[in-house]
């Protein structure tokens, strides 16, 4: 009997224990994976990777602007991240006279480095498991009582950690509240732009190549952290000096070998590995396809506008990129999830889970119904969740009319208070300035067409769900004609006229007479009363079920590789430098070279435009000593489990030297946000040797290369 039981355990556990590559590990817990990592070739110890008492690789890893990752690469605070992560800073320093987007920028010395108000760079000081303290004495409590107790414990821990330091502490739930960790950070506020390649390198391939392998993008930009005389964070000041890091990454100039160990260290944003089969099915069958369709409609309009004139191309470039980034990722996700039959995989895992729960009454009580409960909850609330997603696509990502209405509503609801405080004129000034910026990148005919198509689609998608009455009673076409003829929100001249006559009755006027504002207002009310309450209930109930479900995985399958879903905290993931074979009859090699840049350029697609210098250097094969066997590597792929937020993360070799900067995933791998498949899922890295080549040979910025420590 006992023997049989053991066999069952092993068989079931193996359906859970994914391949080594899956997972995003908490650095302070990496000791548990040290053996596995060393077996894959790593020559570092867990303490080299993360240590609180001594400097470690952790100290070179930076959360950049809160959304991306960056790494320190010199003793003088030199920081590397992606080009797309520094893009808004690069853009804000660019003008027609100094077109850094088009030609790149390199500070010749430190005094030429450019300041970036608002940009932050944070270092993790320590990560502490505070579960026991946070959950102390909460056994048996529920609802508000439990919540208040937890919040009080968190507040005290945070206060204790911050008092007497210049650090900030934050406590986050992991594993849906089974664990709590405190993350103590040191945040630098003087982060200057040192250099960037031109868009034709940093954004090479544009949207055509986004989420795609083979890739040839030099997606990097260079910053520097400045600190005060005591090496501590400080707001920008001329007297600040380059920050001296506790650790910076040496750079590997060594030959790369397919199969070698790679590790990515950074701040991944969100993954959802524990969704139940019913939930994933809903997302795959209904939610994602509808969102994709909404974006297909707006992109069809935007793309046509952008093709019709240079002015519109420039106006809509960054909006288009934003909408298309998600759209393209989702299509890749659905393709991948269908190909591997993710639903069947989930069903098999759920069966194994339930079978295991049935082996012990105690487990059965705790875990026996949780999967059914999750699926039932999805069935009950999926229309609400769907209404939420559709509202995001329609009201936030859709026609810009709605964004203007939201802005106006915020402003006018403060009107009386602004008058009382004597701040009205200043606020009007601000509104005018922001409107000017908005209309500069807006085209009325384009927005009108987006409105018409998305309104039609939104109404269709919402089916029997309650709609704003204006949408129930009018065709999309009639509404478009009315709104874009009358509304002050959709036309710059009408808007300015309205602002010039602004008075205490303006809000009333908008609410009663402006069809654009009226529609937004109805839609917003509909959203707040018919969607939001259900979505809140749904999310909090689901969070509770996920907590139970995950606890069951821990308890019943102790030998599987468990990892907490990404939540924008610091993580490590490891794998190999390797290609993939994502489709029958098709093999992706693990690296690309500069030759591919020229081949793509020859296709004539403007996303592959180059400046003449690239063609000259490529023709001359002027690779310096950055090549390997006569080839200049540009990008390579690896089986490291990454997601949004990992952009800019260092990809490290077995000794902790920098191989390159992570910046994307192949299309076939974007499913890894839900399910990692070690045969398909590959992260894309720009090789640091190409980065150095661009600095040195292409840009004449060898002094930046000289600041780094090169390992040969
Ligand atoms: N796919 C990359 C990641 O999600 C973004 C790359 C930026 N480039 C672009 N063409 N949008 O963020
Ligand atoms: N491009 C993403 C980022 O910006 C990375 C990814 O989703 O793979 O973080």
């Amino acid at each position: 009997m006992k023997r049989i039981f053991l066999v069952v355990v092993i068989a079931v556990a193996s359906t859970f224990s994914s391949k080594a590559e899956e997972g995003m590990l908490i650095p302070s817990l990496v000791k548990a994976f040290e053996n596995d990592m060393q077996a894959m070739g790593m020559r570092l110890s867990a303490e080299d990777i993360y240590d609180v008492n001594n400097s470690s690789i952790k100290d070179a890893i930076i959360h950049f602007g809160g959304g991306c990752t960056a790494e320190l690469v010199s003793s003088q605070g030199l920081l590397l991240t992606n080009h797309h992560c520094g893009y808004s800073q690069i853009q804000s320093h660019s003008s027609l006279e100094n077109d850094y987007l088009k030609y790149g920028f390199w500070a010749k010395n430190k005094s030429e480095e450019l300041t970036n108000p608002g940009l932050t760079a944070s270092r993790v000081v320590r990560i502490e498991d505070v579960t026991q303290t946070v959950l102390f004495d909460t056994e048996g409590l529920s609802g508000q009582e439990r919540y208040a107790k937890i919040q009080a414990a968190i507040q005290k821990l945070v206060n204790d950690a911050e008092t007497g330091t210049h650090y900030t502490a934050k406590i986050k739930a992991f594993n849906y509240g089974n664990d709590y960790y405190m993350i103590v950070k040191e945040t630098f506020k003087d982060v200057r732009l040192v250099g960037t390649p031109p868009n034709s390198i940093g954004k090479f391939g544009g949207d055509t190549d986004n989420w795609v392998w083979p890739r040839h993008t030099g997606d990097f930009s260079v910053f520097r952290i400045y600190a005060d005389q005591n090496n501590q964070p400080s707001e920008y000041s001329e007297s600040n000096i380059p920050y001296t890091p506790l650790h910076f990454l040496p750079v590997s100039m060594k030959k790369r070998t397919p199969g070698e160990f790679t590790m990515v260290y950074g701040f991944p944003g969100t993954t959802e590995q524990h969704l139940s089969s019913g939930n994933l099915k809903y997302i795959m069958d209904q939610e994602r396809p509808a969102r994709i369709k909404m974006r297909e409609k707006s992109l069809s309009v935007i793309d046509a506008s952008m093709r019709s004139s240079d002015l519109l191309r420039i106006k809509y470039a960054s909006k288009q990129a934003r909408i298309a980034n998600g759209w393209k990722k989702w299509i890749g996700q659905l393709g991948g999830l269908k190909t591997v039959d993710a639903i069947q995989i989930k069903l098999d895992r759920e069966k194994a889970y339930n079978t295991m729960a049935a082996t012990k009454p105690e487990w059965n009580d705790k875990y026996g119904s949780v999967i059914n409960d999750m699926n039932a909850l999805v069935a009950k609330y999926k229309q609400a969740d769907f209404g939420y997603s559709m509202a995001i696509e329609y009201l936030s990502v859709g026609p810009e009319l709605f964004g203007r209405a939201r802005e106006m509503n915020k402003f006018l609801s403060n009107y009386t208070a602004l008058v009382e405080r004597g701040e009205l004129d200043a606020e009007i000034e601000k509104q005018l300035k922001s409107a000017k910026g908005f209309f500069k990148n807006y085209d009325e005919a384009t927005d009108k067409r987006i409105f018409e198509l998305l309104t039609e689609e939104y109404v269709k998608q919402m089916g029997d769900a309650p709609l704003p009455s204006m949408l129930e009673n009018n065709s999309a076409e009639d509404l478009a004609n009315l709104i874009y003829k009358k509304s002050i929100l959709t036309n710059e001249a009408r808007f300015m006229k309205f602002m010039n006559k602004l008075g205490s009755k303006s809000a009333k006027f908008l609410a009663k007479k402006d069809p654009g504002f009226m529609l937004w207002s109805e839609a917003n009310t509909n959203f707040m009363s018919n969607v939001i309450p259900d979505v809140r209930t749904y999310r909090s109930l689901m969070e509770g079920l996920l907590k139970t479900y995950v606890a069951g995985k821990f308890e019943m399958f102790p030998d599987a590789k468990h990892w907490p879903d990404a939540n924008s905290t610091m993580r490590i993931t490891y794998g190999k430098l390797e290609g993939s074979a994502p489709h029958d009859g098709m093999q992706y090699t693990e690296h690309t070279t500069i030759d591919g840049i020229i081949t793509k350029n020859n296709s004539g697609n403007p996303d592959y435009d180059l400046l003449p210098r690239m063609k000259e250097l490529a023709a001359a094969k002027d690779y310096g000593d950055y090549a390997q066997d006569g080839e200049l590597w540009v990008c390579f792929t690896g089986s490291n489990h990454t997601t949004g937020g990992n952009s800019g993360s260092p990809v490290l070799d077995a000794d902790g030297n920098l191989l390159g900067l992570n910046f994307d995933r192949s299309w076939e791998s974007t499913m890894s946000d839900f399910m990692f498949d070690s045969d398909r899922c590959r992260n894309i890295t720009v090789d640091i040797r190409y980065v150095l080549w661009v600095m040195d040979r292409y840009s004449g910025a060898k002094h930046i290369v000289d600041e780094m420590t090169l390992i040969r």
Side-chain angles (χ1 to χ4, degrees):
M1 183 63 204
K2 221 174 190 166
R3 240 186 92 86
I4 291 173
F5 178 65
L6 205 70
V7 171
V8 170
V9 171
I10 289 167
V12 170
S14 70
T15 71
F16 272 90
S17 69
S18 36
K19 286 240 191 107
E21 290 90 349
E22 176 176 340
M24 302 171 176
L25 314 174
I26 301 174
S28 53
L29 305 184
V30 79
K31 189 86 194 163
F33 298 91
E34 191 183 39
N35 282 339
D36 188 33
M37 294 167 89
Q38 287 172 346
M40 282 178 69
M42 185 179 77
R43 289 183 287 268
L44 298 163
S45 69
E47 294 74 22
D48 294 330
I49 296 171
Y50 176 91
D51 199 339
V52 179
N53 303 314
N54 300 290
S55 71
S56 61
I57 295 175
K58 154 187 87 74
D59 297 308
I61 315 301
I62 297 292
H63 207 177
F64 183 84
C68 277
T69 307
E71 52 276 357
L72 288 155
V73 290
S74 91
S75 61
Q76 303 172 65
L78 196 68
L79 198 60
L80 297 180
T81 188
N82 287 149
H83 185 262
H84 79 262
C85 295
Y87 202 60
S88 65
Q89 284 79 26
I90 298 167
Q91 182 168 36
S92 76
H93 291 298
S94 298
S95 60
L96 283 175
E97 301 77 58
N98 293 312
D99 195 343
Y100 300 149
L101 292 171
K102 179 143 187 204
Y103 298 107
F105 161 78
W106 291 95
K108 284 194 280 305
N109 52 56
K110 297 204 178 71
S111 71
E112 286 185 9
E113 295 174 1
L114 301 170
T115 143
N116 302 290
L119 178 62
T120 58
S122 308
R123 176 182 78 90
V124 170
V125 176
R126 63 177 195 274
I127 303 168
E128 245 177 79
D129 184 346
V130 291
T131 315
Q132 303 270 327
T133 316
V134 169
L135 297 182
F136 181 72
D137 248 1
T138 57
E139 194 81 33
L141 298 186
S142 64
Q144 189 53 35
E145 214 181 343
R146 182 182 148 87
Y147 177 80
K149 185 130 202 169
I150 290 179
Q151 288 311 310
I154 286 180
Q155 200 48 55
K156 174 152 184 358
L157 279 163
V158 167
N159 288 344
D160 289 352
E162 289 182 344
T163 305
T165 74
H166 62 278
Y167 301 149
T168 52
K170 212 174 187 163
I171 292 177
K172 282 205 167 198
F174 285 62
N175 291 311
Y176 302 92
N178 282 296
D179 301 295
Y180 287 86
Y181 285 84
M182 176 160 71
I183 295 124
V184 179
K185 282 186 170 180
E186 177 176 42
T187 298
F188 295 89
K189 294 170 184 152
D190 185 354
V191 185
R192 303 186 196 169
L193 178 65
V194 173
T196 172
N199 271 8
S200 58
I201 290 176
K203 223 174 157 348
F204 180 80
D207 258 344
T208 308
D209 277 8
N210 193 21
W211 301 114
V212 164
W213 185 260
R215 192 63 159 276
H216 297 83
T217 313
D219 200 339
F220 77 95
S221 56
V222 188
F223 289 79
R224 190 187 304 281
I225 299 181
Y226 281 76
D228 69 13
Q229 305 293 326
N230 301 319
N231 207 33
Q232 293 206 348
S234 151
E235 296 290 343
Y236 170 81
S237 157
E238 232 174 281
S239 63
N240 283 349
I241 53 173
Y243 167 64
T244 308
L246 296 167
H247 180 75
F248 63 86
L249 301 176
V251 168
S252 169
M253 299 291 283
K254 290 184 188 160
K255 191 170 169 160
R256 296 6 178 177
T257 353
E260 75 171 272
F261 175 86
T262 54
M263 173 168 91
V264 180
Y265 211 146
F267 295 86
T270 310
T271 55
E272 296 179 278
Q273 62 177 314
H274 300 295
L275 294 185
S276 71
S277 55
N279 205 348
L280 188 63
K281 187 163 165 36
Y282 148 67
I283 289 173
M284 287 173 65
D285 291 352
Q286 187 185 355
E287 199 258 10
R288 276 310 125 98
R291 295 186 79 167
I292 290 170
K293 194 158 218 174
M294 292 288 274
R295 290 192 182 204
E296 233 156 52
K297 304 239 157 174
S298 51
L299 287 170
S300 75
V301 179
I302 294 174
D303 289 344
S305 288
M306 286 175 74
R307 274 194 302 272
S308 75
S309 90
D310 270 350
L311 184 64
L312 289 183
R313 180 178 55 75
I314 293 167
K315 281 185 178 204
Y316 278 84
S318 109
K319 282 177 225 177
Q320 199 274 355
R322 194 166 37 85
I323 297 172
N325 196 40
W327 167 77
K328 200 167 175 185
K329 175 170 73 174
W330 296 333
I331 295 175
Q333 274 172 354
L334 291 186
L337 291 169
K338 279 182 196 147
T339 304
V340 305
D341 201 350
I343 299 294
Q344 193 55 49
I345 295 175
K346 287 260 175 204
L347 286 169
D348 292 345
R349 290 181 186 174
E350 290 175 358
K351 198 166 152 198
Y353 185 100
N354 284 335
T355 307
M356 185 58 86
T359 60
K360 266 193 198 178
E362 180 205 336
W363 285 351
N364 203 40
D365 285 351
K366 281 196 283 188
Y367 309 125
S369 72
V370 67
I371 290 168
N372 273 342
D373 294 347
M374 285 197 290
N375 285 332
L377 198 67
V378 174
K380 180 164 175 201
Y381 284 103
K382 69 181 178 192
Q383 269 327 107
D385 183 86
F386 186 68
Y388 183 86
S389 290
M390 284 299 100
I392 300 241
E393 291 302 320
Y394 185 52
L395 296 173
S396 294
V397 187
E400 295 191 277
L401 151 73
F402 294 132
R404 295 312 300 160
R406 202 175 305 118
E407 189 70 16
M408 198 32 106
N409 184 54
K410 214 161 55 193
F411 167 49
L412 288 179
S413 48
N414 277 333
Y415 188 88
T416 324
L418 287 166
V419 172
E420 277 166 12
R421 291 203 302 265
E423 289 168 7
L424 184 65
D425 287 347
E427 185 56 35
I428 291 179
E429 207 49 45
K430 232 168 91 190
Q431 291 291 327
L432 287 174
K433 206 169 150 207
S434 111
K436 240 193 152 44
F438 168 79
F439 282 113
K440 184 173 145 262
N441 287 330
Y442 167 85
D443 175 62
E444 206 171 327
T446 303
D447 207 54
K448 180 180 176 192
R449 186 75 188 131
I450 294 174
F451 173 84
E452 199 176 323
L453 291 185
L454 287 201
T455 299
E456 227 167 56
E457 188 61 34
Y458 177 71
V459 170
K460 200 162 107 196
Q461 292 287 350
M462 292 301 286
D464 299 333
L467 282 178
S469 67
M470 280 174 83
L471 293 185
E472 302 237 3
N473 302 328
N474 300 281
S475 76
E477 193 187 347
D478 288 349
L479 278 176
N481 286 334
L482 176 71
I483 290 172
Y484 287 79
K485 192 168 154 204
K486 284 259 161 71
S487 176
I488 62 125
L489 302 167
T490 57
N491 174 285
E492 185 165 9
R494 286 198 298 268
F495 180 82
M496 291 304 166
K497 201 168 144 204
F498 174 81
M499 288 302 277
N500 283 327
K501 290 199 306 198
L502 199 72
S504 57
K505 296 207 179 83
S506 294
K508 214 173 249 160
F509 169 83
L510 276 190
K512 288 227 149 67
K513 291 272 192 301
D514 190 292
F517 190 86
M518 286 157 69
L519 175 58
W520 172 79
S521 177
E522 276 192 16
N524 189 51
T525 307
N526 182 55
F527 178 64
M528 293 313 244
S529 48
N530 292 321
V531 178
I532 283 294
D534 277 353
V535 167
R536 287 221 175 103
T537 309
Y538 174 50
R539 292 201 175 158
S540 102
L541 291 174
M542 186 56 95
E543 190 85 1
L545 291 176
L546 279 165
K547 177 171 187 255
T548 304
Y549 179 52
V550 172
K553 286 189 177 183
F554 285 150
E555 186 174 353
M556 301 192 295
F557 303 92
D559 295 332
K561 181 178 182 182
H562 297 293
W563 56 280
D565 268 324
N567 58 357
S568 296
T569 60
M570 188 179 228
R571 303 294 179 93
I572 291 166
T573 169
Y574 58 94
K576 285 184 238 162
L577 195 165
E578 59 178 323
S580 57
H583 305 286
D584 186 33
M586 191 173 175
Q587 184 86 35
Y588 285 161
T589 56
E590 77 293 332
H591 78 276
T592 58
T593 71
I594 191 171
D595 296 343
I597 294 180
I598 303 303
T599 310
K600 282 180 173 173
N601 175 253
N602 287 337
S603 74
N605 179 339
D607 277 344
Y608 301 130
D609 279 353
L610 295 172
L611 296 176
R613 183 159 179 79
M614 180 62 89
K615 295 187 215 180
E616 289 157 23
L617 292 176
K621 296 199 181 294
D622 181 358
Y623 303 155
D625 53 3
Y626 302 104
Q628 163 167 344
D629 301 329
E631 279 186 338
L632 184 62
W633 285 35
V634 176
C635 294
F636 61 81
T637 58
S639 45
N640 301 283
H641 192 176
T642 54
T643 188
N646 267 126
S647 276
S649 297
V651 179
L652 303 167
D653 71 4
D655 297 304
N657 299 325
L658 184 63
L659 293 170
L661 273 59
N662 181 75
F663 69 96
D664 210 1
R665 282 168 287 166
S666 68
W667 215 30
E668 296 81 2
S669 6
T670 52
M671 59 176 278
S672 65
D673 291 348
F674 298 104
M675 186 180 283
F676 185 81
D677 181 280
S678 55
D679 291 329
R680 295 169 67 83
C681 295
R682 297 291 176 267
N683 64 315
I684 303 181
T685 301
V686 55
D687 195 306
I688 192 68
R689 296 170 302 177
Y690 179 65
V691 170
L692 300 189
W693 178 83
V694 171
M695 290 174 178
D696 174 0
R697 313 306 279 200
Y698 186 96
S699 316
K702 175 91 182 340
H703 60 288
I704 301 297
V705 177
D706 290 340
E707 243 189 87
M708 302 182 214
T709 303
L710 309 189
I711 308 288
R712 292 178 196 279

